[in-house]
């Protein structure tokens, strides 16, 4: 077996897919880019054919409260960049895309990273490789 995709619940599949499309630079699955303003399901495909990222409409979604744990994150994505300079550049870009900074350990000499939430509250980490 191989992993096909990771699915994120969202009240706004188009909005969240657009956020992640811009973050990752991936493309919509054939037909999904033109699927209308309120799709139930959208898929982004990795350009090299790796696992994708999908977005499924739900009527209600309680935002994760990481790091306090009141509402668990249940899943999060880990991304990597080459160095701290790229981490800083991506930080500005992510904030412009409406990501929310949750934790900043960019000055950690062992493992520099930042943790963000996407616009629907799904936490994700950006590590230096």
């Amino acid at each position: 077996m191989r992993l096909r995709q990771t699915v994120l619940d969202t009240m706004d599949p188009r909005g969240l897919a657009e956020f992640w499309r811009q973050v990752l630079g991936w493309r919509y699955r054939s037909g999904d880019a033109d699927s209308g303003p309120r799709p139930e399901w959208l898929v982004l495909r990795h350009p090299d054919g790796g696992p994708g990222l999908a977005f499924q409409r739900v009527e209600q979604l309680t935002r994760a409260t990481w790091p306090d744990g009141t509402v668990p994150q249940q899943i999060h994505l880990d991304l990597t960049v080459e160095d701290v300079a790229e981490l800083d550049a991506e930080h500005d870009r992510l904030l412009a895309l409406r990501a929310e900074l949750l934790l900043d350990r960019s000055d950690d000499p062992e493992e520099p990273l930042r943790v963000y939430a996407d616009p629907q509250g799904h936490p994700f980490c950006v590590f230096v490789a």
Side-chain angles (χ1 to χ4, degrees), residues 5-21 23-24 26 39-44 52-61 64 73-79 116-124:
Q5 60 203 13
T6 299
V7 181
L8 298 177
D9 286 349
T10 178
M11 296 183 301
D12 179 13
R14 176 68 66 202
L16 195 58
E18 273 300 302
F19 171 83
W20 283 106
R21 185 186 67 77
V23 168
L24 299 171
W26 293 6
E40 295 296 314
W41 180 269
L42 294 170
V43 178
L44 294 177
L53 191 57
F55 308 90
Q56 173 178 272
R57 180 179 300 282
V58 295
E59 291 306 313
Q60 184 174 346
L61 182 68
Q73 58 183 320
Q74 298 181 9
I75 191 171
H76 74 269
L77 304 176
D78 286 343
L79 310 174
Y116 301 88
D118 70 21
Q120 284 282 298
H122 303 101
F124 65 97

Side-chain angles (χ1 to χ4, degrees), residues 22-126:
Q22 291 178 53
V23 168
L24 299 171
W26 293 6
R27 294 192 174 124
Y28 284 105
R29 170 182 66 176
S30 178
D32 280 5
D34 302 317
S35 61
R38 286 192 41 87
E40 295 296 314
W41 180 269
L42 294 170
V43 178
L44 294 177
R45 292 285 180 224
H46 188 284
D48 296 333
L53 191 57
F55 308 90
Q56 173 178 272
R57 180 179 300 282
V58 295
E59 291 306 313
Q60 184 174 346
L61 182 68
T62 303
R63 191 178 182 91
T65 58
W66 188 93
D68 84 11
T70 303
V71 178
Q73 58 183 320
Q74 298 181 9
I75 191 171
H76 74 269
L77 304 176
D78 286 343
L79 310 174
T80 59
V81 294
E82 293 297 317
D83 53 36
V84 173
E86 187 178 0
L87 182 66
D88 290 341
E90 289 297 338
H91 173 73
D92 293 337
R93 189 171 76 90
L94 290 168
L95 293 180
L97 291 171
R98 298 185 306 120
E100 176 187 350
L101 180 65
L102 301 177
L103 175 73
D104 187 343
R105 281 194 4 215
S106 57
D107 60 352
D108 184 325
E110 300 290 319
E111 187 176 55
L113 69 99
R114 288 190 177 107
V115 182
Y116 301 88
D118 70 21
Q120 284 282 298
H122 303 101
F124 65 97
C125 301
V126 182

